């Protein structure tokens, strides 16, 4: 597409600021990040939208990137895959969103047209999936370009709360789809969630949509467990003594749990899950794993269990929005700290010391159009 | 229950032979088996039935027992968990079967009353499960006691073929439930079955109920693969060169298969399954595993797959009977050798050298009431 | 079975009263009922249990019987299909219950052995289904004989509340299975319940297991609607003006509801359901219908809806018990009136004037063994 | 969009004929149709494609339109919603298809972006649904404009057979989705299909994907029943004597069928379905109804049945393509007559006298680019 075509492909936006730079949080290789000037993004494809970010947040995955764990993320990349903002420009292939719309940005980009998207597996979209703040520039900035905008944005509901709804970019659909839906939580179930970090807590909040009878929350950190209690966990288990699995089996009178949800991503926590799942139960993996685990097929082969893995598809975001609007889910509970976007370097420090700081989700707010 | 109560608890059977002994295949510790005299079984509980065996067969699991792999099976046990026969006696708690009924014996004993049975998980019945020829005497004999008869027998259909229908005792429901149902085979799917032994072939036969577009059959033995071809496999892959996974990926243009079914029970074959499952696909385990496997969660965590394990529940036997009777499934295809029950020692020799003998299922026939 | 066999078939019960009569509520043809002496029931089959009733209640169906609407119920029949009690005697085919066990009586009798029971369709059990207080004597008495006891009773949980748990005999599983499960209520759904009588309110209570975003409650009676409000309905609609469907369509901005649940059983309320179901939605029928309805296939054929009917199977009673015990469901909310069993004639008067009396469920209590 | 924008919005096509008119089958009010000159269609929106038709066919719905039954279809409309062709031009919002691609045209237009499309309910697409040959010009012409091309076309597989695959435009997904999927046909089921016209036969062909044990085919026309026999029906029932329901009940020993599929669209055939559905069974409606039916809720309320309605979504076309390519489905069996597109007036005469002519599907072939 030529430059002139691109100009034609964009809807003119009277409110568009004339400045051509913006501030953004940029990754510069392992351990290095900076809040610095970057060119403001522009429409590159008819399906693109340019969104002015009003609220964003930091994900545990951003910390992984900063450690250098994801080589696919390269020097110069703007981080962030969560955000709320206002549409500033749309390509002429965008039909669902218009300049001025307030939107929730999904962490998953979906073209809606490929075989995976048609099957509801946006996570594996042939043109998208998780690319934002990973292989293309992300949302921890003043502006972001959202490709495949029609499949990757959601209208922000009138009267909504930005810091609550930014949790719908990633963490709530992740907890709900990978943990609760794949785990098939049912009324009366005994559920164990291994890991009381933000995503484990998102599992906890959304598991309650289905009225399980018991939710065991397992973590090493008593402060996080205390939060879990407030969020609805029925039993807290500190796994520091290595007896967590044993305790769950005891508490369930030898049966184990109907659903064991792994929300950490290491062999130790995975092991707890396979030790506590009841015959006929489900293990739903949410955690991001860096190495293989040992699966005890010699014990599990005749236990009639299922194990699922999933990268979030964000197909349930419309459903989650309805539940939030009905008041049955209060995602703002997850927010512990608030910063101006300009203070994002400090926000990263806080979030990077989550245990010490008692941090769950750290909300970042842009003050408005420059 | 006292002896006099037991007498009252049994329906008198005019046809019952007066002899009090019978011949049976008895396990005498690792490597030792004998066809010898044993007391004829008697009703011990109101739910029992005594069945005179007309047809039985040998399962790969029987060979495992003989190797000493299952310490739960002890010296003196009559082996066998598959069979067709005629009801000779029933306890007074039996309502579905009567003296003279020809029946198919299910390898799984189900009380129908415990929580697991009520959920359709007969495999984990608190009073049964797999006990026949394991913790109680089995079917490789002239008579067998079937506890919980109402949940553990099926009426043999008029005009049915015994050697075909004895495959409904274990192998066909095992292949169908653990492989096909748990693998959720759908029309148009690409399916891979790893292992072309009897149970892998049972998966192959029953997978075709759902019209998959492609069935890749993977085994080390070209003779078994040739059988698979006749049974409906669309592509044969000899895995001797270690390239089976590579070939499946190539043949599916990089996508992998919708369903990978493990029908062997060792790490090597499990590895093939995890290497070839497509994003969004299912691994269904059928094989009996003796040790842990390495599960590549570092590759699978974001692939949206499911992995299932299952001991057969035999809940689908009524469905399978209907399909057999409609002519859409011909289980007798699995039968390669036939012996008189009296020659069961030879039958074991043949089945024990399955590769050499080209043996799949070996049918044993009792000549009639003594 | 001879008398002597029957004696052997019963477990002796030291606590069994020697009196051979009891009081019971007996139907004597349309409009006629009496609290009168009847012979105390005895074991007739090895699967029977005799239960001393401690708590019972009256169902709308009992009123139908009294009107003569169910010719299958004949003169002399003891009414009632709901109750809590203590097992006094069991036949020798009963394995799950023992003398002295406190039990919840299911309104549906299930042999667990027939094809329907094996499929979880207890309502159509070939030996049971709804027979209690219908074709065999029922629970509005001091004692009742429960056939197929292993499939028809549930252990009363230690520390449970009788007047809460008697709601698990019928009304809660009916609302849950026929309305909520068949209607496939999902988080975020808009649900309409037509009829705020006891069963409609049971739907309302159990629908909330799945966190719908909106529940429209539709009835002619403002008092019942006020109760529905307390029970969690989000919108109340009095249908007296014939505008209920119109209002639902308006409130859903033309879309209609995801799930419309019919809990009355007449053409007018059925019509509301078919008028308000959204494209892709479900109509779940709970009401007992006496005549045909006009189904607008000329409007519905291309609307991608489903319509379900169901007689309760009571297969979810174990699940409901778990939810009650977790505190997430408080069935005692449904109880508005309490009577001694001896005052059951008055209780019927009250329940028969439910609108006037503001009656929902009327609990009857036996004072203890005579 | 201005004319100049539209020019930019289209990809230039060197092969595009310069002629600006084409021949098309045009509706001119009830009873009137003509094969006449019409302007060749042009891109109107970035999502459009212009397809040169190589193969088309006539649907029963086209006859309904000609009778004047669908007032939404107005004078001057080009009919037809089925076809195979070659892409001649695409708007710049089209990403999945390119000039020169051979494509299957879906009868349903899907934007993929609206709520209904995201839920897989293309039939209710807010920008599409069934519009082709209805509210916009259709496929019985030399060229057709396909809006929302990315959601409404499928790549024609290399080596495919046009007259077989044109059955994937409408009739096969209709039979499969509305009849077989909604009816949940399972292995071993007894299925009845009421109506052996083209769509009933499409149900028959695709029901066999799931290996039912018995398929009862019910129609008034023995010739069509004879075709059904060849297509796999196991029992033929001519319903002319009004005894069809009676016979099905007899043949199923009083049980009725697991699935009853209505493929006509009138009260009489709907009645057969409600009379023959087994307890626990499903009625799946495929037929287009013009008036209400009487639903016997007084008999069905306690029968645990489901009834579904559906306008085809064409979401299963990719699955059907895989099954066709595997050889397990031969749609060309449905083709009885072939005409050059120029002879479409004769083709309509033949199809309009289907019973007399023994016509099922009538294939129309364009000879090539003019």
């Amino acid at each position: 597409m030529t430059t002139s075509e691109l100009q034609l492909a964009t809807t003119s936006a009277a409110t568009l600021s004339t400045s051509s730079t913006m501030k953004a949080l940029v990754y510069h290789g392992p351990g290095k990040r900076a809040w610095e000037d970057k060119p403001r993004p522009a429409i590159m494809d008819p399906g693109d939208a340019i969104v002015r970010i009003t609220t964003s947040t930091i994900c545990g995955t951003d910390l992984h990137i900063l450690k250098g764990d994801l080589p696919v993320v390269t020097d110069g990349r703007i981080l962030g895959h969560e955000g709320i903002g206002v549409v500033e420009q749309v390509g002429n292939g965008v039909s669902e969103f218009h300049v001025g719309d307030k939107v929730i940005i999904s962490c998953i980009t979906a073209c809606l047209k490929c075989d995976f998207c048609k099957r509801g597996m946006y996570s594996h979209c042939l043109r998208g999936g998780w690319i934002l703040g990973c292989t293309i520039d992300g949302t921890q900035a003043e502006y972001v370009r959202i490709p495949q905008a029609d499949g990757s944005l959601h209208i922000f509901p009138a009267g909504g709360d930005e810091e609550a709804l930014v949790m719908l970019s990633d963490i709530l659909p992740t907890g709900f789809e990978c943990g609760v839906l794949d785990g098939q939580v049912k009324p009366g179930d005994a559920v164990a969630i291994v890991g009381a970090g933000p995503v484990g807590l998102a599992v906890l909040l959304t598991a309650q949509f289905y009225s399980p009878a018991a939710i065991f929350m397992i973590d090493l950190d008593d402060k996080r467990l205390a939060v879990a209690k407030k969020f609805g966990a029925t039993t807290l288990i500190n796994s520091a003594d290595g007896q967590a699995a044993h305790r769950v089996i005891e508490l369930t009178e030898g049966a184990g749990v109907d659903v064991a949800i792994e929300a950490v991503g290491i062999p130790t926590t995975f092991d707890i899950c396979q030790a506590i799942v009841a015959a006929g139960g489900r293990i739903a993996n949410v955690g991001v794993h860096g190495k293989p685990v040992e699966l005890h097929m010699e014990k599990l082969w005749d236990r009639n269990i299922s194990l699922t893995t999933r990268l979030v598809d964000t197909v349930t975001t419309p459903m989650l929005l309805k539940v939030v609007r009905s008041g049955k889910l209060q995602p703002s509970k997850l927010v512990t700290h608030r910063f101006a976007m300009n203070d994002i370097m400090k926000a990263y420090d806080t979030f990077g010391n989550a245990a010490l700081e008692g941090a769950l989700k750290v909300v970042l707010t842009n003050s408005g159009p420059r």
Side-chain angles (χ1 to χ4, degrees), chain A residues 9-246:
Chain A
T10 61
T11 301
S12 71
T15 62
L16 189 65
S17 158
T18 52
S19 161
S20 63
T21 64
M22 66 170 184
K23 286 284 188 191
L25 193 283
V26 182
Y27 172 69
H28 287 300
K32 296 181 204 146
R33 55 176 155 83
W35 178 247
E36 64 188 29
D37 281 338
K38 288 284 274 185
R40 191 175 290 187
I43 296 283
M44 291 170 61
D45 185 270
D48 288 353
I50 303 298
V51 176
R52 176 170 55 80
I53 296 293
T54 54
T55 297
S56 187
T57 178
I58 308 175
C59 179
T61 307
D62 296 325
L63 301 182
H64 276 291
I65 293 170
L66 277 167
K67 282 188 197 146
D69 290 351
L70 284 87
V72 72
V73 186
T74 52
D75 186 352
R77 174 68 59 235
I78 300 174
L79 297 187
H81 49 266
E82 302 167 279
I84 306 282
V86 177
V87 174
E88 293 278 328
Q89 259 189 304
V90 291
N92 76 352
V94 176
S95 58
E96 310 298 296
F97 301 95
H98 304 93
V99 171
D101 284 346
K102 185 176 269 199
V103 290
I104 302 167
I105 298 166
S106 186
C107 63
I108 296 293
T109 299
C111 76
L112 303 179
K113 298 175 174 183
C114 71
D115 281 352
F116 283 111
C117 281
K118 284 187 179 173
R119 291 163 54 193
M121 266 180 71
Y122 298 174
S123 56
H124 288 72
C125 171
L126 296 176
R127 296 186 184 88
W130 177 43
I131 56 175
L132 216 53
C134 176
T135 56
I136 66 168
D137 285 336
T139 58
Q140 291 166 1
E142 291 180 298
Y143 295 87
V144 65
R145 179 181 71 90
I146 301 295
Q148 315 292 348
D150 283 334
S152 312
L153 298 174
H154 298 271
I155 287 290
F156 185 94
D161 171 7
E162 289 201 20
E163 80 174 33
L165 291 176
V166 75
M167 301 300 144
L168 270 73
S169 285
D170 176 350
I171 192 166
L172 281 169
T174 292
F176 182 55
E177 296 178 8
C178 309
V180 178
L181 283 190
D182 273 20
Q184 299 172 46
V185 175
K186 291 190 308 295
D189 271 357
V191 177
I193 302 168
V194 186
V199 76
L201 293 168
V203 173
L204 173 59
L205 288 174
T206 55
Q208 293 172 73
F209 293 174
Y210 295 97
S211 310
I215 308 180
F216 302 90
M217 202 80 190
I218 301 170
D219 201 291
L220 292 164
D221 181 341
D222 280 334
K223 272 188 289 187
R224 289 193 155 180
L225 288 173
V227 174
K229 187 79 183 172
K230 276 192 226 152
F231 284 20
T234 57
T235 307
L236 307 178
I237 299 177
N238 188 311
S239 52
D241 61 1
Q243 297 300 304
H246 182 70

Side-chain angles (χ1 to χ4, degrees), chain A residues 231-271:
Chain A
F231 284 20
T234 57
T235 307
L236 307 178
I237 299 177
N238 188 311
S239 52
D241 61 1
Q243 297 300 304
H246 182 70
R247 290 229 30 227
V248 172
I249 294 298
E250 242 177 20
L251 289 164
T252 54
E253 294 167 17
V257 292
D258 300 296
V259 190
I261 300 175
E262 209 286 344
V264 180
I266 58 172
T268 311
T269 47
F270 188 90
D271 279 350

